[in-house]
Structure formats: C-alpha cells, structure tokens
Amino acid sequence: METSKKIKKPRGHHARIGGTLFWIPSSIRDYFEKVRNLDVSSFIEQTVEVDIVNSLAGEIEEWNIVERIYKHIVNIDKNLREALPSLILSGFLSLFAGYLMTVMLEDIKNFPGLFVLIVPIIGLRGAASSSFASRFNSAYHLGLLNKSFNSFFEGESLQNIYGYLVSASIVSVLIGYIAYLSCTLQGLPSMPLTSFIVISTISGIISSLLLCLFVILLTYLSINRGWDPSNIVIPLLTTLGDVFGVLVIYYTVLIVGGAL
Amino acid sequence: MRYTWKRIVIESLPLLIFTSFVSTFAGSAMESAISIFTVYPGLLLFIPAFLDGCGDINSTFASKIACTMHMLGPDAVSFTGKYKNILFNNIIFSLLSTFAFFTIFSIVTQIAGTMVGIVFPSLEKMLFIVLSAAAIVSLFLIMVAIITTKIVVKYSLDPDNFGSPLVATAADLFAANVYVFICFIVL
C-alpha cells in the first residue's frame, strides 16, 4: 500500500500497453514511448490493479531517480549557465592575487624560495578555513547558531574559533619548516630557515585572523538574510583567501624583509 | 559536545600538514619558472586563477559523481552499463566548462592585462599554453575522481569525504607543474 501511495503522487495517465492497463506518471510515459518504443497513445481512465502498480514500482522509482539526475546533476546547459558566471567572477578575484604576485616579483627574487612558501599559505584557506566555515554551517543547521551575533562566541562556536586559530597557527609555523625542507630536498635555492619561519608564522597567523573575521561576518549576514551559509561563505572564502594570503605575505615581506 | 578545540586541532592537523607539504611542490614549480615569469609576468598573473579554476571545476565533477553514486548505487559510476551516459555527460560538462572558462578568461585577462602594461606571450601562445595545460590537468583529475570514488565505495566509505578533497589536493600538486612545463615547452 505504501508503494502505491508513493507512485500516485506524480501527474500521470492510465494507459493500455499490450492489452493491460497501467497507471503511468508522465515521466514514465516518456520513458516507455522514447526508450522502450512502446505504444501508450490510447489513454483510458480506469482504476488500476494494485499488483500491477507494485510490479512497476521499482522501475518507476529508478526512472524517477534517473530523471532527477538528468534534470539537476547532468543537465549540461543548465550547469554551464549556473557554473560559468560564478567561475568567471571567482577567476577575476583570483586575478587580483595574481596581480599582487607580479608586483612582488622583484621581492620574490630577493627571497629565494618565497614561492614555495606562498602556495601552502594560500592553501591553508582551502583546508583550514573551509573546514572552519563548514563547521559553522553545520552548527547553524543543528541549531547551535542563531541570528544573534553573540551566539558565535558561545559554547561550541567559541570552541570552533579556538580550534581553527590554534590549528592554523601551528600549521603556519610548520609551513616554514616544510617549505625549507622542500627546497632543500629538491635542490632549489632558498633563504635561511629563520626567514621561512618568520614570514610563514606572521603571514599565516594574520591571514587566518582576517579569514576568521570574514567567515564570522559572512555567516552572520547569511543567517540573518535567510541564505544558506554553505552557498555563500565557502565559494567566496576560497577566492578571497587567495587575495588575503598574497596581500599579507606581500606586506610581511615588505615590513620584516629588511630585518631578515 | 561535538566540537572542542582540542578535538578540532587533533583531527585537522594531519590533513593540514599533508596538504601544506603537497602545496610546496606547486610552489617549487613556480619558483623554477621565475625566469619565464620575469619576461612574461602575465603568465604569473594567471596562475592563481588557473589553479582555482582547475580545482573548482573538477571538485564539482567529483561531487556530482559522488551524488549520482549515492542515488543509484556503485554501478552509476561506470563507462559501461545502463548508466554510462550519466558519467559521459558529467565528463562532457567538466571538459566543456574547462574549455569555455579558460578560453573566455585567457582572452579577457590578456586584453585587460595588456591595457595596464603587463607583458603576455602572444594570444595564440597564451591560449595554447592555458588550454593544453587545462585539458591535461582536467583529464587527469577526472580519472582521479572516478578511481577514488570507485575505490572508496568498494570499502563502504563515503565518496563525499574523499573525492573532492583529493581532487583539490591533486589539482594543487599537478596543475602548477603542468602549466609551468607547457610554458617551458612553448616559450
């Protein structure tokens, strides 16, 4: 009975196929006509036998799933229309990070190995900040966050902030070691280990603090405007993380570079 | 309590250290190409967008096949059988996005960059470098996504937890190296 209730929901028609009456949802009708090449042109309004409906239930359910996949997941036109504008917008924001790198090019030459450091520091936003934003998103859907700004600094949300800042700070220090090790292993010219660690620690911690603030503000705004934070925060975070990362490294090198 | 700062630190550190280590190889590729970037800074300008574009498009692909697999079962991610068209359509979408995005983006970037005085290789060379590098990287990442999903499903694990993160990490590692390699060949 449960199965027949489930398949009576969609719009459809009764149809005679090979002398037997079927109740067929519109999508299934297309399926029989176009895929199976069966004749379902003669429609007759009549109550259908429950066992016939049940015999088709598995196929109908499977076809409905396939139809949903084609409509929402592999609809190439729709996906291109939705994906391209956001990709291009995100690409233009990334260009700003690229532009900053071209401005830094002279400084980069004076600090051999700086590129080896830049990529992982930028990459921190992908791994640490996205997880941080994702935990806020889960907290919101679990009811741990609400429209109050104070709820971001209470209980588990506060633990989330501490956890993000502590792990990002530890990794910021380690990235200095890792980049130096990577240069040494690959035989690339590199600045002294101290320079790697000072630049990675300062820039890693500052960019993590900026991104932390950014995630909190954007999540707060999303919740208060009724948007799903997962659709807004993470896509913006990955792109703006590039810009923050390169910008902070640039100023760190400018300010402390002379002393190294 | 689900989240404590200690638990977050303990669970996230290994992955953060691993991805940081992998990212240094992308940085090394860029470091080795400083001589080319000095002559053509436009190629450097393009790198963050190239890495992000490859990562985003192919992470989306990984997410789509994981979702399809959840809805239809392990057979849904296969080059044969009744669901093969779903996989082929996903691959076509991924490659079309790659070519459409990088073609439009290369042309616009070159025009805008040249207007502000940044030096690029000729448009044909730029398109050749970007599109050939993007095609190689995308095909590689598509295979990474498919193979990862199949292996993960075999061990009854959730492909959402592995496909996209692994594709993003592989994009970091692979995209910069291929881009720089093609630059060296062409220029």
Side-chain angles (χ1 to χ4, degrees):
Chain A
M1 284 307 287
E2 198 183 317
T3 309
S4 60
K5 269 183 194 171
K6 195 184 288 178
I7 61 168
K8 277 179 185 170
K9 284 180 185 172
R11 285 183 183 177
H13 303 275
H14 291 108
R16 184 179 293 280
I17 303 170
T20 309
L21 276 176
F22 287 89
W23 183 90
I24 304 171
S26 302
S27 58
I28 305 298
R29 184 190 160 203
D30 287 346
Y31 169 63
F32 281 120
E33 282 183 342
K34 292 172 186 170
V35 182
R36 293 285 189 83
N37 292 319
L38 293 174
D39 176 24
V40 287
S41 55
S42 58
F43 294 99
I44 301 169
E45 289 295 333
Q46 195 171 325
T47 308
V48 67
E49 296 288 334
V50 172
D51 58 339
I52 296 174
V53 173
N54 284 339
S55 72
L56 269 175
E59 199 164 351
I60 286 172
E61 193 175 340
E62 184 186 358
W63 176 247
N64 280 330
I65 292 172
V66 172
E67 192 197 27
R68 276 211 308 280
I69 289 173
Y70 271 105
K71 193 173 175 185
H72 299 290
I73 300 178
V74 294
N75 184 335
I76 293 178
D77 283 350
K78 175 176 171 282
N79 283 339
L80 277 176
R81 275 199 308 274
E82 285 179 5
L84 270 183
S86 64
L87 273 173
I88 289 173
L89 176 69
S90 152
F92 278 114
L93 287 170
S94 298
L95 273 187
F96 186 62
Y99 176 71
L100 286 171
M101 287 207 283
T102 63
V103 173
M104 287 174 71
L105 201 54
E106 284 307 312
D107 297 301
I108 287 172
K109 282 189 219 163
N110 296 330
F111 292 89
L114 194 58
F115 264 136
V116 183
L117 196 59
I118 289 176
V119 181
I121 288 177
I122 294 174
L124 248 188
R125 54 85 184 147
S129 312
S130 297
S131 301
F132 173 56
S134 180
R135 282 192 293 270
F136 265 147
N137 182 47
S138 300
Y140 167 63
H141 288 295
L142 289 168
L144 301 171
L145 274 180
N146 54 46
K147 291 185 175 182
S148 156
F149 194 65
N150 288 337
S151 66
F152 284 82
F153 302 98
E154 292 167 354
E156 295 189 44
S157 298
L158 190 61
Q159 293 290 319
N160 186 17
I161 296 173
Y162 287 153
Y164 165 67
L165 290 177
V166 170
S167 50
S169 303
I170 293 172
V171 177
S172 298
V173 179
L174 287 177
I175 282 174
Y177 281 105
I178 292 170
Y180 178 75
L181 189 70
S182 185
C183 281
T184 311
L185 288 175
Q186 295 177 75
L188 292 169
S190 73
M191 53 191 165
L193 176 62
T194 328
S195 306
F196 272 109
I197 292 174
V198 170
I199 295 172
S200 74
T201 305
I202 294 174
S203 52
I205 290 174
I206 293 174
S207 61
S208 300
L209 281 170
L210 284 172
L211 285 175
C212 176
L213 203 63
F214 174 75
V215 168
I216 291 171
L217 286 175
L218 258 186
T219 308
Y220 171 75
L221 278 177
S222 300
I223 292 172
N224 277 279
R225 286 179 182 265
W227 301 329
D228 185 346
S230 63
N231 290 336
I232 311 290
V233 185
I234 295 177
L236 275 172
L237 187 67
T238 54
T239 308
L240 286 180
D242 284 354
V243 178
F244 281 145
V246 179
L247 201 64
V248 171
I249 290 173
Y250 180 52
Y251 280 104
T252 307
V253 168
L254 277 187
I255 293 166
V256 304
L260 294 171
Chain B
M1 189 176 257
R2 292 173 194 83
Y3 302 133
T4 62
W5 71 269
K6 281 182 187 169
R7 186 181 163 191
I8 291 169
V9 171
I10 291 167
E11 286 186 6
S12 58
L13 266 187
L15 182 67
L16 289 177
I17 293 169
F18 173 72
T19 53
S20 299
F21 182 70
V22 168
S23 300
T24 60
F25 288 96
S28 307
M30 288 159 67
E31 188 80 27
S32 64
I34 280 187
S35 55
I36 291 182
F37 296 149
T38 309
V39 181
Y40 299 113
L43 289 170
L44 178 61
L45 174 82
F46 204 81
I47 282 194
F50 184 77
L51 298 186
D52 282 353
C54 289
D56 288 349
I57 292 169
N58 293 295
S59 292
T60 305
F61 170 79
S63 172
K64 279 175 187 289
I65 61 169
C67 182
T68 308
M69 204 281 311
H70 277 306
M71 292 169 86
L72 286 172
D75 293 343
V77 183
S78 171
F79 288 108
T80 54
K82 58 180 174 177
Y83 300 128
K84 64 182 178 187
N85 284 343
I86 293 178
L87 183 59
F88 283 126
N89 277 349
N90 270 326
I91 293 174
I92 289 168
F93 164 68
S94 193
L95 292 176
L96 274 179
S97 305
T98 302
F99 279 101
F101 169 67
F102 284 115
T103 304
I104 296 169
F105 205 64
S106 303
I107 295 170
V108 174
T109 305
Q110 176 132 7
I111 293 169
T114 308
M115 284 167 70
V116 295
I118 295 172
V119 181
F120 284 84
S122 65
L123 184 59
E124 310 88 75
K125 280 185 180 171
M126 186 74 191
L127 278 173
F128 181 79
I129 290 168
V130 172
L131 292 181
S132 50
I136 293 169
V137 173
S138 284
L139 285 173
F140 174 75
L141 294 179
I142 283 169
M143 294 317 295
V144 168
I146 293 171
I147 292 167
T148 308
T149 304
K150 280 185 159 300
I151 291 173
V152 162
V153 168
K154 195 175 169 186
Y155 291 99
S156 305
L157 299 168
D158 184 353
D160 279 324
N161 292 338
F162 293 88
S164 291
L166 205 70
V167 165
T169 308
D172 278 349
L173 174 65
F174 201 62
N177 282 287
V178 172
Y179 182 83
V180 166
F181 179 70
I182 305 266
C183 284
F184 274 118
I185 290 176
V186 174
L187 300 172

